[in-house]
Amino acid sequence: MTGSLSFLDILNICDNTRVHQPSPVSSPFDAELLVPFYLSESTDSPVIGLLRPIIVTQLALENQRNRELGFDELFAFNVDAKNFARRRNNRVLGPSVSLRNWLDTHQKRTVAIKELCERWRDTLLFEDVCGPKKWRAEMYPIYSDPFAVHDYPNEAVPSEVLNYAFEMERSACALFGVITYGVHMNIYEEAKMGDEKSLKAWVPTRAHTKPT
């Protein structure tokens, strides 16, 4: 199949999170409705991720589990068209999932999401994404505004003014559709080959021992 696709076609297939737009190359993900994931139930809460239907269903089951165990629910749902809530200063009306308002500090959010993701890992729920062989034991920061300052909690800055919202296990980030960050370095240098100059490119490859 890849023999008939250009490199750009393959990149377009991988970049499949276009909201309300089909992929340039036909993809089974086009039929999925991605639900915005909000930081809180507030009508002016920022969107921090995008959720696939399978994840929305699982989060509803997590709420049911918590109720049965006598714990507080983690998530609020507005996925029924009759109950859609207006968001972002009345500019957005549609389905949404958010963290419950009692998760009002970065510490509470981090603890709650950490327990959830570790339980998914241990029960092999999404084994191909965050199962034991994919688990990184590396926490990624999640920001209220991913394009604003990337700050971090410290004693000099009050928590309520931070853009930093909480941390999440790296391998589980894809399940919540949050923005993640990484640094990749490619190097090029001029090299002399006899009487001619050429260009050498050093392209890093991922170690075979890396889980992701």
Side-chain angles (χ1 to χ4, degrees):
M1 178 181 176
T2 54
S4 62
L5 299 176
S6 70
F7 186 59
L8 183 59
D9 288 335
I10 295 173
L11 289 177
N12 279 327
I13 291 173
C14 294
D15 183 19
N16 54 35
T17 56
R18 295 170 176 81
V19 181
H20 308 310
Q21 295 181 24
S23 302
V25 178
S26 181
S27 166
F29 294 105
D30 290 345
E32 291 193 341
L33 174 64
L34 298 178
V35 177
F37 181 36
Y38 288 83
L39 184 60
S40 75
E41 300 172 70
S42 170
T43 57
D44 61 353
S45 169
V47 175
I48 56 173
L50 293 170
L51 304 175
R52 295 179 59 202
I54 189 174
I55 303 300
V56 174
T57 298
Q58 183 57 41
L59 298 184
L61 291 175
E62 294 296 334
N63 271 4
Q64 178 181 329
R65 172 187 178 274
N66 279 18
R67 289 193 300 269
E68 292 171 352
L69 294 174
F71 299 151
D72 292 328
E73 294 182 351
L74 300 184
F75 306 99
F77 293 85
N78 285 289
V79 294
D80 187 335
K82 295 181 294 185
N83 300 318
F84 283 165
R86 288 198 174 273
R87 297 276 196 165
R88 312 303 293 274
N89 297 320
N90 282 333
R91 290 183 289 112
V92 177
L93 178 64
S96 66
V97 176
S98 66
L99 292 173
R100 284 291 190 185
N101 282 339
W102 70 267
L103 295 165
D104 54 2
T105 67
H106 63 81
Q107 296 98 329
K108 291 179 183 178
R109 299 182 197 114
T110 296
V111 169
I113 296 300
K114 182 174 184 290
E115 187 280 330
L116 177 70
C117 293
E118 289 178 348
R119 184 156 38 79
W120 287 359
R121 174 199 63 194
D122 296 341
T123 57
L124 308 182
L125 185 59
F126 298 104
E127 185 177 8
D128 59 332
V129 180
C130 64
K133 293 183 178 179
K134 297 292 186 179
W135 194 262
R136 295 301 298 267
E138 182 180 352
M139 301 294 277
Y140 264 19
I142 310 301
Y143 299 99
S144 297
D145 181 351
F147 304 108
V149 61
H150 288 183
D151 50 20
Y152 195 79
N154 63 72
E155 295 180 358
V157 181
S159 295
E160 57 269 19
V161 302
L162 287 173
N163 186 36
Y164 172 91
F166 61 98
E167 289 182 331
M168 181 186 296
E169 155 63 26
R170 173 177 176 172
S171 63
C173 288
L175 297 175
F176 291 87
V178 296
I179 292 179
T180 57
Y181 310 85
V183 177
H184 301 270
M185 186 188 321
N186 296 325
I187 301 173
Y188 66 90
E189 65 173 344
E190 287 188 352
K192 196 169 184 181
M193 306 289 289
D195 295 330
E196 296 183 358
K197 288 184 177 180
S198 66
L199 192 66
K200 285 186 176 180
W202 301 79
V203 181
T205 57
R206 183 170 292 276
H208 293 299
T209 55
K210 290 284 187 180
T212 58

